Amino acid sequence: MRIVVTRTREQSAELARRLRELGHEVSVLPLVAIEPLDDGPIEVTGYDWVVVTSVNGAKELRRRMQGRPKRVAAIGRATAAAFGGADLVPAVSTQEGLLAELPRPAGRVLFAGAEGARRVLIDELGADFVPLYRTRELVPPEPPAGDLVVLASASAARVLGRTSAA
């Protein structure tokens, strides 16, 4: 089977290796690039919860973080691992899933994520928002050629949709 993996090269290496070990023909075609927005410190002291919703956001916050968060909520296990652990990882890896499991009242919350991230948690919790990175879409000249395309983000899905429709 020909499988196209659309994550960044760095993030796709392990998945591509495992798929090849299973006997698949794998090509890596990144449909997004991750660009940090700043290098300045982000103070997390004083927040009851710090929320991260992506591996990229978790790594970037960890790099720039000042102080120690009281509690961390991560949208999934990989995001929690990228941050170095979390106090809460919901059973359903969506903002809605995290919101359903976050104790109330949540107190003061910092949402650290992508520029243009969905605002479900921010709006519902009255959270402070710090954009850490932007996702730049990489539109290939032709649609990916394969039997299966692995999409790991909404941004990659949007690019694939535009590429396939063109």
Side-chain angles (χ1 to χ4, degrees), residues 75 88-94 97-98 101:
I75 205 159
L88 173 63
V89 178
V92 176
S93 296
T94 63
L98 201 150
E101 293 188 35

Side-chain angles (χ1 to χ4, degrees), residues 86-166:
D87 301 289
L88 173 63
V89 178
V92 176
S93 296
T94 63
Q95 286 193 35
E96 291 82 1
L98 201 150
L99 191 58
E101 293 188 35
L102 198 66
R104 302 293 174 82
R108 189 168 177 227
V109 178
L110 175 66
F111 180 98
E115 175 182 76
R118 291 179 60 225
R119 297 188 58 89
V120 173
L121 284 162
I122 298 164
D123 294 343
E124 183 70 27
L125 299 172
D128 292 338
F129 172 60
V130 60
L132 300 171
Y133 66 95
R134 79 173 42 100
T135 301
R136 187 170 46 89
E137 297 179 352
L138 305 174
V139 180
E142 297 179 14
D147 302 309
L148 176 71
V149 176
V150 177
L151 298 166
S153 71
S155 300
R158 280 192 296 274
V159 174
L160 180 63
R162 278 202 299 278
T163 304
S164 298

Side-chain angles (χ1 to χ4, degrees), residues 7-137:
R7 298 189 86 171
T8 63
R9 292 206 181 277
E10 174 188 289
Q11 292 177 323
S12 64
E14 177 64 17
L15 176 59
R17 182 190 65 74
R18 291 173 60 193
L19 290 170
R20 285 184 185 108
E21 285 176 355
L22 292 171
H24 300 291
E25 179 185 328
V26 178
S27 61
V28 176
L29 178 66
L31 296 182
V32 297
I34 306 303
E35 299 175 343
L37 294 175
D38 196 356
D39 280 327
I42 298 168
E43 179 59 57
V44 298
T45 305
Y47 286 99
D48 297 296
W49 285 94
V50 171
V51 176
V52 287
T53 59
S54 71
V55 168
N56 294 312
K59 288 179 179 178
E60 187 63 11
L61 179 60
R62 192 76 174 163
R63 182 179 76 82
R64 295 176 50 197
M65 186 173 66
Q66 297 285 308
R68 296 177 63 87
K70 287 181 186 173
R71 289 171 292 201
V72 175
I75 205 159
R77 291 185 316 229
T79 302
F83 188 76
D87 301 289
L88 173 63
V89 178
V92 176
S93 296
T94 63
Q95 286 193 35
E96 291 82 1
L98 201 150
L99 191 58
E101 293 188 35
L102 198 66
R104 302 293 174 82
R108 189 168 177 227
V109 178
L110 175 66
F111 180 98
E115 175 182 76
R118 291 179 60 225
R119 297 188 58 89
V120 173
L121 284 162
I122 298 164
D123 294 343
E124 183 70 27
L125 299 172
D128 292 338
F129 172 60
V130 60
L132 300 171
Y133 66 95
R134 79 173 42 100
T135 301
R136 187 170 46 89
E137 297 179 352

